[in-house]
Amino acid sequence: MAASAQGLARGQLRLRTAGLCCRRLSRGLYARVRRLPGPEVPGRSVAAASGPGAWGTDSYCLELLRKRDYEGYLCSLLLPAESRSSAFALRAFNVELAQVKDSISEKTIGLMRMQFWRKTVEDIYCDNPPHQPVAIELWKAVKRHNLTKRWLMNIIDEREKNLDDKAYRNIKELENYAENTQCSLLYLTLEILGIKDLHADHAASHIGKAQGIVTCLRATPYHVSRRKVFLPMDICMLHGVSQEDFLRRNQDKNVRDVIYDIASQAHLHLKHARSFHKSVPVKAFPAFLQTVSLEDFLKKIQRVDFDIFHPSLQQKNSLLPLYLYIQSWRKIY
């Protein structure tokens, strides 16, 4: 996939940045960003956990997100109040699955954990969730919004396939992985918001793929530290770059060209998603707030000339809550 074929010259990634506002940021977002009580005490029944006095399970999900998926945590805070707890549960479920791969020493253990979550989803749809905080909150979300079981299973199945430490053969394979994980997550978020719209689904598909590509790029330094490279092999071969070049943290032009081509594909997906802007219901826009962090990363990597190992790429943007709030207020994605 040559960069020129995409009509996108280096240094000309045109990415919108939400304009800064001189007024003081409303307390709305930061008022929600607070520490809540710890996880549920083991042994409580599902009935008790879903009652009015239940605080442990939802707090557990919120804290898990705050620590493991901070950007998703901030985006969820800006959803309508009636959808927020379900979004926390959904993203916490995704975090539980995502962290399996990095927390196991043997694939067999990972398969066992994936089987636990597969059975958990089956039990949730039989109104018999296990006594696990995320499972209980996900059960409530399913009951409340009648979430599609297939999307949950797609996430589990794809995460299970990804337990093999193999690089993506091509960019299409990476996009397929993103379709079954990040896109499924967005389809479920739209269901939580009560959105059933073809244009919203198309936008979600492109945003999810952009998210998957950006996540792969952002995780590259971490993977390299563990002697692993998962970047699409077809693009690496196109530029004559080997996995060893990444393991040595080579910063030659060819290595940067690989990163440029992959980042350009994420940019194209964002561009396609925004082409549906006028057709997507405004109520669906909160589900797409993650475009703010995607755009932020693509701008940062452009500024460092596509050096994937540049230290600035690993730093959190302290202004992200502000940008998210402005994007939410402007009702765009």
Side-chain angles (χ1 to χ4, degrees):
M1 180 184 58
S4 58
Q6 299 171 10
L8 186 61
R10 173 173 292 187
Q12 294 182 343
L13 281 174
R14 297 191 176 181
L15 303 169
R16 294 183 310 190
T17 303
L20 289 179
C21 181
C22 294
R23 291 184 300 174
R24 189 175 181 179
L25 179 64
S26 164
R27 293 180 59 204
L29 176 58
Y30 290 106
R32 300 171 195 160
V33 184
R34 66 185 191 277
R35 290 181 180 272
L36 293 179
E40 177 197 17
V41 177
R44 293 178 62 192
S45 68
V46 173
S50 59
W55 53 264
T57 54
D58 56 353
S59 303
Y60 177 89
C61 291
L62 192 147
E63 278 295 288
L64 179 63
L65 266 189
R66 188 182 65 80
K67 293 176 181 177
R68 302 293 185 182
D69 181 14
Y70 184 65
E71 292 172 0
Y73 166 71
L74 292 177
C75 291
S76 298
L77 286 172
L78 288 168
L79 293 178
E82 64 274 13
S83 305
R84 210 171 294 144
S85 62
S86 296
F88 284 143
L90 183 60
R91 285 190 172 273
F93 167 73
N94 185 58
V95 168
E96 289 278 8
L97 294 173
Q99 63 187 7
V100 168
K101 184 174 181 177
D102 290 331
S103 63
I104 59 173
S105 55
E106 297 179 14
K107 181 181 176 181
T108 304
I109 299 174
L111 292 174
M112 291 171 63
R113 292 189 186 177
M114 292 300 179
Q115 184 56 36
F116 164 78
W117 283 108
R118 188 174 284 108
K119 185 177 187 306
T120 291
V121 170
E122 294 286 357
D123 289 343
I124 282 173
Y125 281 85
C126 293
D127 280 339
N128 186 33
H131 298 279
Q132 199 272 358
V134 175
I136 291 171
E137 286 300 305
L138 186 61
W139 169 65
K140 292 187 215 176
V142 168
K143 294 283 286 183
R144 191 178 298 125
H145 305 285
N146 193 27
L147 300 181
T148 302
K149 179 181 176 182
R150 174 164 55 98
W151 302 131
L152 295 171
M153 286 301 194
N154 280 357
I155 298 174
I156 297 172
D157 292 342
E158 197 65 34
R159 294 285 188 190
E160 184 176 85
K161 291 178 190 175
N162 198 240
L163 291 175
D164 293 319
D165 285 336
K166 295 180 181 178
Y168 298 103
R169 288 176 296 178
N170 48 55
I171 192 71
K172 181 66 177 175
E173 195 170 90
L174 172 55
E175 289 176 340
N176 287 341
Y177 172 76
E179 174 69 37
N180 287 318
T181 53
Q182 299 295 339
C183 297
S184 293
L185 197 63
L186 284 175
Y187 298 149
L188 288 163
T189 304
L190 288 173
E191 290 186 351
I192 287 172
L193 293 173
I195 305 296
K196 292 184 179 180
D197 181 84
L198 186 61
H199 296 295
D201 288 344
H202 284 164
S205 177
H206 285 294
I207 292 170
K209 288 172 183 173
Q211 177 74 69
I213 293 170
V214 167
T215 299
C216 183
L217 287 173
R218 291 173 72 172
T220 295
Y222 169 74
H223 290 147
V224 165
S225 71
R226 304 184 69 183
R227 306 290 298 172
K228 297 173 183 177
V229 180
F230 296 108
L231 297 173
M233 290 188 293
D234 64 334
I235 298 180
C236 292
M237 292 173 63
L238 178 66
H239 295 286
V241 175
S242 67
Q243 290 194 352
E244 192 62 33
D245 289 321
F246 282 100
L247 295 178
R248 291 198 304 262
R249 295 176 177 262
N250 192 324
Q251 297 183 19
D252 289 348
K253 180 181 180 298
N254 286 1
V255 173
R256 293 172 187 252
D257 286 344
V258 169
I259 301 304
Y260 168 73
D261 277 6
I262 298 172
S264 295
Q265 190 70 6
H267 167 70
L268 284 176
H269 279 300
L270 276 183
K271 183 178 178 181
H272 286 317
R274 284 168 171 159
S275 70
F276 298 105
H277 184 271
K278 293 182 180 179
S279 304
V280 173
V282 175
K283 282 181 62 179
F285 288 7
F288 303 149
L289 283 172
Q290 67 202 70
T291 56
V292 174
S293 59
L294 298 179
E295 189 172 65
D296 178 63
F297 177 81
L298 291 174
K299 286 180 70 69
K300 286 198 297 186
I301 201 170
Q302 180 188 12
R303 283 197 294 267
V304 299
D305 195 23
F306 303 92
D307 175 9
I308 195 64
F309 300 108
H310 198 280
S312 66
L313 298 179
Q314 302 303 315
Q315 297 171 358
K316 282 186 178 180
N317 184 350
S318 59
L319 292 177
L320 182 60
L322 173 64
Y323 293 155
L324 284 168
Y325 187 85
I326 292 173
Q327 190 98 326
S328 175
W329 175 70
R330 292 176 66 193
K331 292 187 175 6
I332 58 175
Y333 67 85

